Amino acid sequence: MSWSLVTVALDGPTACLEVGGELYRLEPSLARAGLPGAATVVDLFSDWDRSRAALDKAATLVRAEDRIPAGTPRLAPLLYPGKVLCAGANYYDHLKEMGVPDTRKEAQRLFFFFKPPRNAVVGEGATVHMPIGTKAFDWEIELAAVIGRKARAVKAADALSHIAGYTVSIDFSARDHNRAPETFYKLDWVAGKAHDTCCPMGPRFVPASAISDPQNIGLKLSVNGAVKQDARTTDMIFSIAEQIEILSHIMTLDPGDVVLTGTPAGVGAPKQTFLSVGDRVEAEIEGIGALSVTVQEPLIG
């Protein structure tokens, strides 16, 4: 039986098992399956292989008394992940729209940047706040891969076996804060990318087994109902497996870490079209679902 994982706001963050379109409290379902004590989704990644087997069984053991009321607000499914690493400029069409003159793979060097997991990761709804002082707030839909097994110096051929599953994410950026043309380093990735609330994830985590080919799924992002990004992961320059290989040679990837795998063309920067307070952004990925957020005023104090 298929299942996914969700976290909702119900007397505090409550981890849920989603089966047949209904949400059920995770902890009692897992206890019936022989895995007691898993109070959060992140807890499951301490031994993902064991957890996955228990979740398969728990999906057949859900009970009506554990059902979550319809309409309960959803949080990010993983509260909170370990490291959040983001691949930069990893779609051919995105390179082209950003004015990169040579878009051949052999001319690229994959790079990553961090987002702070506790402050940046939020769920759906009125959760995203405009960075203080920005006039160039931009969107990027991203397929997010969640690490399930420790990965250090792995090869691409084995890399996908280290992924537990996937969720939808939006990498919100303050493009004007990102640029530092007067300095020798030219770009400031922390100032542009690490703002509070600017890494929404959701609406659910799906296991890797639910996505038959993560290198061939559709991504679509709209702003106030107008489609801005519409692409497939086939256009990635460096595959998800290659990203895990490269990252795991830089640092150890731990269970519960998240890797945002790049964004396709259609961001606001090339046309200088940016977000305003009140704008609604919806990001949808085939096989996972749609994540919708509304931009709010900056967080002060």
Side-chain angles (χ1 to χ4, degrees):
M1 181 177 293
S2 62
W3 52 267
S4 58
L5 296 169
V6 172
T7 300
V8 300
L10 183 68
D11 302 323
T14 301
C16 302
L17 189 61
E18 186 174 27
V19 180
E22 298 281 354
L23 299 181
Y24 302 86
R25 290 180 183 269
L26 176 65
E27 200 165 8
S29 300
L30 275 179
R32 294 183 203 108
L35 187 66
T40 70
V41 172
V42 169
D43 289 342
L44 300 171
F45 296 101
S46 62
D47 186 345
W48 177 249
D49 290 335
R50 182 187 178 203
S51 297
R52 182 183 58 193
L55 287 162
D56 288 341
K57 185 176 180 181
T60 69
L61 300 173
V62 294
R63 294 181 181 173
E65 63 262 28
D66 298 323
R67 186 177 291 124
I68 300 294
T72 302
R74 294 193 182 204
L75 307 173
L78 280 75
L79 286 177
Y80 288 95
K83 300 183 285 293
V84 177
L85 292 145
C86 309
N90 191 42
Y91 277 71
Y92 287 106
D93 60 356
H94 182 48
L95 281 186
K96 184 177 179 180
E97 74 171 351
M98 297 299 278
V100 176
D102 188 348
T103 61
R104 293 172 304 136
K105 183 173 183 175
E106 54 267 31
Q108 310 309 315
R109 179 185 184 275
L110 183 64
F111 67 94
F112 295 89
F113 54 88
F114 283 100
K115 282 182 178 279
R118 184 157 294 276
N119 296 98
V121 174
V122 293
E124 62 186 20
T127 55
V128 172
H129 291 264
M130 186 87 71
I132 296 171
T134 186
K135 294 180 174 59
F137 195 37
D138 207 349
W139 59 83
E140 297 184 358
I141 185 174
E142 310 231 2
L143 173 64
V146 183
I147 301 299
R149 293 170 52 204
K150 181 179 177 180
R152 177 63 180 169
V154 303
K155 299 294 185 183
D158 185 50
L160 294 186
S161 69
H162 293 265
I163 294 177
Y166 301 93
T167 190
V168 181
S169 186
I170 308 171
D171 170 17
F172 283 110
S173 311
R175 300 288 190 191
D176 45 356
H177 296 347
N178 205 172
R179 303 188 185 285
E182 74 284 1
T183 68
F184 73 90
Y185 46 84
K186 304 305 179 188
L187 294 172
D188 186 339
W189 290 102
V190 170
K193 296 285 192 176
H195 296 275
D196 290 358
T197 76
C198 286
C199 189
M201 294 184 186
R204 60 182 55 82
F205 163 94
V206 301
S209 58
I211 305 293
S212 59
D213 182 3
Q215 289 302 153
N216 188 17
I217 54 177
L219 308 89
K220 185 179 293 186
L221 181 141
S222 63
V223 177
N224 299 326
V227 174
K228 302 294 186 179
Q229 295 179 277
D230 189 357
R232 300 191 71 79
T233 54
T234 49
D235 196 49
M236 282 186 190
I237 301 168
F238 294 91
S239 70
I240 298 165
E242 288 172 319
Q243 292 181 55
I244 300 302
E245 177 180 35
I246 292 167
L247 268 175
S248 72
H249 280 75
I250 299 171
M251 69 187 78
T252 299
L253 299 178
D254 296 302
D257 287 350
V258 179
V259 179
L260 275 61
T261 57
T263 198
V267 302
K271 297 180 179 179
Q272 293 294 289
T273 302
F274 298 112
L275 295 165
S276 300
V277 171
D279 285 345
R280 179 173 172 269
V281 181
E282 182 171 273
E284 183 174 4
I285 297 182
E286 184 180 352
I288 302 176
L291 169 65
S292 180
V293 298
T294 302
V295 179
Q296 305 295 304
E297 295 280 356
L299 283 171
I300 306 293

mmCIF file of all heavy atoms in Angstrom, residues 259-294:
data_model
loop_
_atom_site.group_PDB
_atom_site.id
_atom_site.type_symbol
_atom_site.label_atom_id
_atom_site.label_comp_id
_atom_site.label_asym_id
_atom_site.label_seq_id
_atom_site.Cartn_x
_atom_site.Cartn_y
_atom_site.Cartn_z
ATOM 1 N N VAL A 259 18.827 17.777 0.000
ATOM 2 C CA VAL A 259 19.545 18.362 -1.128
ATOM 3 C C VAL A 259 18.526 18.907 -2.127
ATOM 4 O O VAL A 259 17.721 18.140 -2.676
ATOM 5 C CB VAL A 259 20.455 17.330 -1.820
ATOM 6 C CG1 VAL A 259 21.179 17.967 -3.008
ATOM 7 C CG2 VAL A 259 21.459 16.737 -0.833
ATOM 8 N N LEU A 260 18.530 20.230 -2.324
ATOM 9 C CA LEU A 260 17.715 20.848 -3.373
ATOM 10 C C LEU A 260 18.516 20.774 -4.676
ATOM 11 O O LEU A 260 19.678 21.181 -4.711
ATOM 12 C CB LEU A 260 17.387 22.298 -3.020
ATOM 13 C CG LEU A 260 16.165 22.520 -2.117
ATOM 14 C CD1 LEU A 260 16.327 21.863 -0.768
ATOM 15 C CD2 LEU A 260 15.895 24.014 -1.950
ATOM 16 N N THR A 261 17.904 20.249 -5.721
ATOM 17 C CA THR A 261 18.665 19.764 -6.866
ATOM 18 C C THR A 261 18.709 20.709 -8.071
ATOM 19 O O THR A 261 19.116 20.309 -9.150
ATOM 20 C CB THR A 261 18.097 18.400 -7.308
ATOM 21 O OG1 THR A 261 16.695 18.535 -7.609
ATOM 22 C CG2 THR A 261 18.278 17.359 -6.216
ATOM 23 N N GLY A 262 18.334 21.969 -7.874
ATOM 24 C CA GLY A 262 18.403 22.949 -8.960
ATOM 25 C C GLY A 262 17.036 23.334 -9.483
ATOM 26 O O GLY A 262 16.029 22.675 -9.200
ATOM 27 N N THR A 263 17.000 24.411 -10.265
ATOM 28 C CA THR A 263 15.734 24.924 -10.789
ATOM 29 C C THR A 263 15.819 25.137 -12.292
ATOM 30 O O THR A 263 16.883 25.485 -12.820
ATOM 31 C CB THR A 263 15.346 26.247 -10.093
ATOM 32 O OG1 THR A 263 13.961 26.515 -10.287
ATOM 33 C CG2 THR A 263 16.150 27.426 -10.626
ATOM 34 N N PRO A 264 14.708 24.938 -13.008
ATOM 35 C CA PRO A 264 14.692 25.183 -14.444
ATOM 36 C C PRO A 264 14.450 26.657 -14.767
ATOM 37 O O PRO A 264 14.311 27.501 -13.873
ATOM 38 C CB PRO A 264 13.517 24.322 -14.920
ATOM 39 C CG PRO A 264 12.591 24.287 -13.749
ATOM 40 C CD PRO A 264 13.469 24.298 -12.528
ATOM 41 N N ALA A 265 14.400 26.955 -16.057
ATOM 42 C CA ALA A 265 14.150 28.326 -16.516
ATOM 43 C C ALA A 265 12.768 28.802 -16.079
ATOM 44 O O ALA A 265 11.880 28.009 -15.772
ATOM 45 C CB ALA A 265 14.265 28.387 -18.037
ATOM 46 N N GLY A 266 12.620 30.128 -16.058
ATOM 47 C CA GLY A 266 11.340 30.735 -15.725
ATOM 48 C C GLY A 266 11.367 31.547 -14.453
ATOM 49 O O GLY A 266 10.313 31.982 -13.966
ATOM 50 N N VAL A 267 12.568 31.780 -13.896
ATOM 51 C CA VAL A 267 12.663 32.607 -12.696
ATOM 52 C C VAL A 267 12.453 34.075 -13.083
ATOM 53 O O VAL A 267 12.430 34.433 -14.259
ATOM 54 C CB VAL A 267 14.024 32.398 -11.997
ATOM 55 C CG1 VAL A 267 14.203 30.935 -11.631
ATOM 56 C CG2 VAL A 267 15.189 32.880 -12.858
ATOM 57 N N GLY A 268 12.335 34.926 -12.082
ATOM 58 C CA GLY A 268 12.008 36.313 -12.357
ATOM 59 C C GLY A 268 13.158 37.182 -12.817
ATOM 60 O O GLY A 268 12.949 38.179 -13.497
ATOM 61 N N ALA A 269 14.385 36.817 -12.437
ATOM 62 C CA ALA A 269 15.537 37.691 -12.657
ATOM 63 C C ALA A 269 15.744 38.120 -14.108
ATOM 64 O O ALA A 269 15.987 39.307 -14.361
ATOM 65 C CB ALA A 269 16.805 37.031 -12.108
ATOM 66 N N PRO A 270 15.678 37.217 -15.100
ATOM 67 C CA PRO A 270 15.961 37.651 -16.476
ATOM 68 C C PRO A 270 15.029 38.750 -16.982
ATOM 69 O O PRO A 270 15.438 39.603 -17.777
ATOM 70 C CB PRO A 270 15.793 36.359 -17.293
ATOM 71 C CG PRO A 270 16.050 35.264 -16.320
ATOM 72 C CD PRO A 270 15.467 35.760 -15.031
ATOM 73 N N LYS A 271 13.783 38.739 -16.527
ATOM 74 C CA LYS A 271 12.805 39.755 -16.956
ATOM 75 C C LYS A 271 12.626 40.856 -15.919
ATOM 76 O O LYS A 271 11.817 41.765 -16.115
ATOM 77 C CB LYS A 271 11.451 39.089 -17.235
ATOM 78 C CG LYS A 271 11.491 38.079 -18.374
ATOM 79 C CD LYS A 271 10.120 37.456 -18.597
ATOM 80 C CE LYS A 271 10.150 36.471 -19.754
ATOM 81 N NZ LYS A 271 8.824 35.831 -19.992
ATOM 82 N N GLN A 272 13.418 40.752 -14.825
ATOM 83 C CA GLN A 272 13.301 41.715 -13.729
ATOM 84 C C GLN A 272 11.858 41.812 -13.236
ATOM 85 O O GLN A 272 11.321 42.893 -12.971
ATOM 86 C CB GLN A 272 13.835 43.085 -14.148
ATOM 87 C CG GLN A 272 15.346 43.106 -14.392
ATOM 88 C CD GLN A 272 16.146 42.870 -13.132
ATOM 89 O OE1 GLN A 272 16.206 43.734 -12.249
ATOM 90 N NE2 GLN A 272 16.748 41.680 -13.010
ATOM 91 N N THR A 273 11.228 40.636 -13.098
ATOM 92 C CA THR A 273 9.875 40.516 -12.574
ATOM 93 C C THR A 273 9.962 39.803 -11.235
ATOM 94 O O THR A 273 10.342 38.630 -11.181
ATOM 95 C CB THR A 273 8.974 39.717 -13.532
ATOM 96 O OG1 THR A 273 8.967 40.364 -14.803
ATOM 97 C CG2 THR A 273 7.557 39.619 -12.998
ATOM 98 N N PHE A 274 9.604 40.494 -10.164
ATOM 99 C CA PHE A 274 9.832 39.939 -8.842
ATOM 100 C C PHE A 274 8.542 39.907 -8.014
ATOM 101 O O PHE A 274 7.511 40.427 -8.435
ATOM 102 C CB PHE A 274 10.932 40.726 -8.127
ATOM 103 C CG PHE A 274 12.258 40.666 -8.832
ATOM 104 C CD1 PHE A 274 12.795 41.800 -9.432
ATOM 105 C CD2 PHE A 274 12.956 39.472 -8.920
ATOM 106 C CE1 PHE A 274 14.014 41.749 -10.084
ATOM 107 C CE2 PHE A 274 14.177 39.406 -9.580
ATOM 108 C CZ PHE A 274 14.708 40.541 -10.170
ATOM 109 N N LEU A 275 8.643 39.286 -6.850
ATOM 110 C CA LEU A 275 7.488 39.067 -5.989
ATOM 111 C C LEU A 275 7.194 40.275 -5.108
ATOM 112 O O LEU A 275 8.093 41.041 -4.748
ATOM 113 C CB LEU A 275 7.719 37.843 -5.103
ATOM 114 C CG LEU A 275 7.832 36.509 -5.835
ATOM 115 C CD1 LEU A 275 8.424 35.437 -4.928
ATOM 116 C CD2 LEU A 275 6.468 36.071 -6.365
ATOM 117 N N SER A 276 5.918 40.393 -4.753
ATOM 118 C CA SER A 276 5.462 41.428 -3.832
ATOM 119 C C SER A 276 4.686 40.772 -2.693
ATOM 120 O O SER A 276 4.218 39.635 -2.805
ATOM 121 C CB SER A 276 4.546 42.430 -4.551
ATOM 122 O OG SER A 276 5.217 43.058 -5.620
ATOM 123 N N VAL A 277 4.522 41.515 -1.611
ATOM 124 C CA VAL A 277 3.718 41.026 -0.496
ATOM 125 C C VAL A 277 2.300 40.731 -0.989
ATOM 126 O O VAL A 277 1.710 41.521 -1.728
ATOM 127 C CB VAL A 277 3.696 42.070 0.636
ATOM 128 C CG1 VAL A 277 2.689 41.677 1.721
ATOM 129 C CG2 VAL A 277 5.084 42.223 1.233
ATOM 130 N N GLY A 278 1.774 39.586 -0.608
ATOM 131 C CA GLY A 278 0.446 39.161 -1.027
ATOM 132 C C GLY A 278 0.444 38.203 -2.196
ATOM 133 O O GLY A 278 -0.582 37.564 -2.468
ATOM 134 N N ASP A 279 1.566 38.084 -2.898
ATOM 135 C CA ASP A 279 1.632 37.151 -4.029
ATOM 136 C C ASP A 279 1.534 35.705 -3.547
ATOM 137 O O ASP A 279 2.093 35.335 -2.507
ATOM 138 C CB ASP A 279 2.933 37.338 -4.814
ATOM 139 C CG ASP A 279 2.930 38.581 -5.682
ATOM 140 O OD1 ASP A 279 1.837 39.141 -5.911
ATOM 141 O OD2 ASP A 279 4.016 38.993 -6.132
ATOM 142 N N ARG A 280 0.836 34.897 -4.343
ATOM 143 C CA ARG A 280 0.688 33.473 -4.034
ATOM 144 C C ARG A 280 1.539 32.668 -5.009
ATOM 145 O O ARG A 280 1.439 32.816 -6.222
ATOM 146 C CB ARG A 280 -0.780 33.059 -4.158
ATOM 147 C CG ARG A 280 -1.058 31.579 -3.877
ATOM 148 C CD ARG A 280 -2.565 31.329 -3.862
ATOM 149 N NE ARG A 280 -2.866 29.898 -3.794
ATOM 150 C CZ ARG A 280 -3.040 29.131 -4.853
ATOM 151 N NH1 ARG A 280 -2.942 29.643 -6.076
ATOM 152 N NH2 ARG A 280 -3.313 27.848 -4.713
ATOM 153 N N VAL A 281 2.396 31.823 -4.460
ATOM 154 C CA VAL A 281 3.299 31.000 -5.262
ATOM 155 C C VAL A 281 2.942 29.536 -5.040
ATOM 156 O O VAL A 281 2.880 29.074 -3.894
ATOM 157 C CB VAL A 281 4.772 31.249 -4.881
ATOM 158 C CG1 VAL A 281 5.708 30.403 -5.742
ATOM 159 C CG2 VAL A 281 5.121 32.727 -5.015
ATOM 160 N N GLU A 282 2.697 28.820 -6.137
ATOM 161 C CA GLU A 282 2.380 27.390 -6.051
ATOM 162 C C GLU A 282 3.407 26.600 -6.848
ATOM 163 O O GLU A 282 3.647 26.891 -8.017
ATOM 164 C CB GLU A 282 0.978 27.091 -6.577
ATOM 165 C CG GLU A 282 0.612 25.607 -6.436
ATOM 166 C CD GLU A 282 -0.840 25.319 -6.750
ATOM 167 O OE1 GLU A 282 -1.679 25.422 -5.833
ATOM 168 O OE2 GLU A 282 -1.125 24.992 -7.915
ATOM 169 N N ALA A 283 4.008 25.612 -6.192
ATOM 170 C CA ALA A 283 5.002 24.751 -6.819
ATOM 171 C C ALA A 283 4.496 23.320 -6.794
ATOM 172 O O ALA A 283 4.122 22.806 -5.737
ATOM 173 C CB ALA A 283 6.331 24.852 -6.076
ATOM 174 N N GLU A 284 4.487 22.684 -7.958
ATOM 175 C CA GLU A 284 3.958 21.324 -8.069
ATOM 176 C C GLU A 284 4.972 20.428 -8.768
ATOM 177 O O GLU A 284 5.549 20.804 -9.790
ATOM 178 C CB GLU A 284 2.648 21.318 -8.852
ATOM 179 C CG GLU A 284 1.992 19.950 -8.957
ATOM 180 C CD GLU A 284 0.633 19.998 -9.610
ATOM 181 O OE1 GLU A 284 0.223 21.086 -10.065
ATOM 182 O OE2 GLU A 284 -0.028 18.943 -9.673
ATOM 183 N N ILE A 285 5.187 19.238 -8.200
ATOM 184 C CA ILE A 285 6.078 18.257 -8.801
ATOM 185 C C ILE A 285 5.317 16.948 -8.964
ATOM 186 O O ILE A 285 4.657 16.475 -8.030
ATOM 187 C CB ILE A 285 7.357 18.042 -7.967
ATOM 188 C CG1 ILE A 285 8.163 19.355 -7.907
ATOM 189 C CG2 ILE A 285 8.211 16.928 -8.559
ATOM 190 C CD1 ILE A 285 9.473 19.251 -7.141
ATOM 191 N N GLU A 286 5.412 16.413 -10.159
ATOM 192 C CA GLU A 286 4.722 15.175 -10.522
ATOM 193 C C GLU A 286 5.064 14.058 -9.538
ATOM 194 O O GLU A 286 6.224 13.833 -9.216
ATOM 195 C CB GLU A 286 5.159 14.783 -11.933
ATOM 196 C CG GLU A 286 4.491 13.581 -12.530
ATOM 197 C CD GLU A 286 5.008 13.287 -13.927
ATOM 198 O OE1 GLU A 286 5.777 14.112 -14.487
ATOM 199 O OE2 GLU A 286 4.645 12.228 -14.464
ATOM 200 N N GLY A 287 4.032 13.395 -9.039
ATOM 201 C CA GLY A 287 4.222 12.282 -8.126
ATOM 202 C C GLY A 287 4.367 12.670 -6.675
ATOM 203 O O GLY A 287 4.426 11.799 -5.798
ATOM 204 N N ILE A 288 4.432 13.983 -6.390
ATOM 205 C CA ILE A 288 4.593 14.442 -5.001
ATOM 206 C C ILE A 288 3.417 15.315 -4.578
ATOM 207 O O ILE A 288 2.828 15.115 -3.527
ATOM 208 C CB ILE A 288 5.919 15.205 -4.809
ATOM 209 C CG1 ILE A 288 7.103 14.318 -5.203
ATOM 210 C CG2 ILE A 288 6.053 15.657 -3.348
ATOM 211 C CD1 ILE A 288 8.440 15.019 -5.146
ATOM 212 N N GLY A 289 3.081 16.317 -5.401
ATOM 213 C CA GLY A 289 1.963 17.181 -5.061
ATOM 214 C C GLY A 289 2.332 18.639 -5.198
ATOM 215 O O GLY A 289 3.392 18.996 -5.737
ATOM 216 N N ALA A 290 1.445 19.511 -4.694
ATOM 217 C CA ALA A 290 1.598 20.954 -4.845
ATOM 218 C C ALA A 290 1.770 21.624 -3.488
ATOM 219 O O ALA A 290 1.062 21.314 -2.525
ATOM 220 C CB ALA A 290 0.391 21.544 -5.564
ATOM 221 N N LEU A 291 2.711 22.546 -3.445
ATOM 222 C CA LEU A 291 3.019 23.336 -2.263
ATOM 223 C C LEU A 291 2.676 24.788 -2.564
ATOM 224 O O LEU A 291 3.200 25.368 -3.514
ATOM 225 C CB LEU A 291 4.513 23.200 -1.931
ATOM 226 C CG LEU A 291 5.111 24.147 -0.884
ATOM 227 C CD1 LEU A 291 4.499 23.886 0.485
ATOM 228 C CD2 LEU A 291 6.623 23.981 -0.840
ATOM 229 N N SER A 292 1.789 25.377 -1.766
ATOM 230 C CA SER A 292 1.339 26.744 -2.014
ATOM 231 C C SER A 292 1.665 27.629 -0.819
ATOM 232 O O SER A 292 1.359 27.282 0.329
ATOM 233 C CB SER A 292 -0.170 26.763 -2.271
ATOM 234 O OG SER A 292 -0.618 28.073 -2.521
ATOM 235 N N VAL A 293 2.295 28.777 -1.091
ATOM 236 C CA VAL A 293 2.636 29.736 -0.038
ATOM 237 C C VAL A 293 2.255 31.135 -0.480
ATOM 238 O O VAL A 293 2.137 31.416 -1.673
ATOM 239 C CB VAL A 293 4.137 29.682 0.317
ATOM 240 C CG1 VAL A 293 4.525 28.323 0.859
ATOM 241 C CG2 VAL A 293 5.005 30.049 -0.887
ATOM 242 N N THR A 294 2.070 32.018 0.493
ATOM 243 C CA THR A 294 1.744 33.417 0.219
ATOM 244 C C THR A 294 2.795 34.303 0.872
ATOM 245 O O THR A 294 3.132 34.126 2.047
ATOM 246 C CB THR A 294 0.349 33.775 0.762
ATOM 247 O OG1 THR A 294 -0.618 32.903 0.166
ATOM 248 C CG2 THR A 294 -0.010 35.212 0.420
#
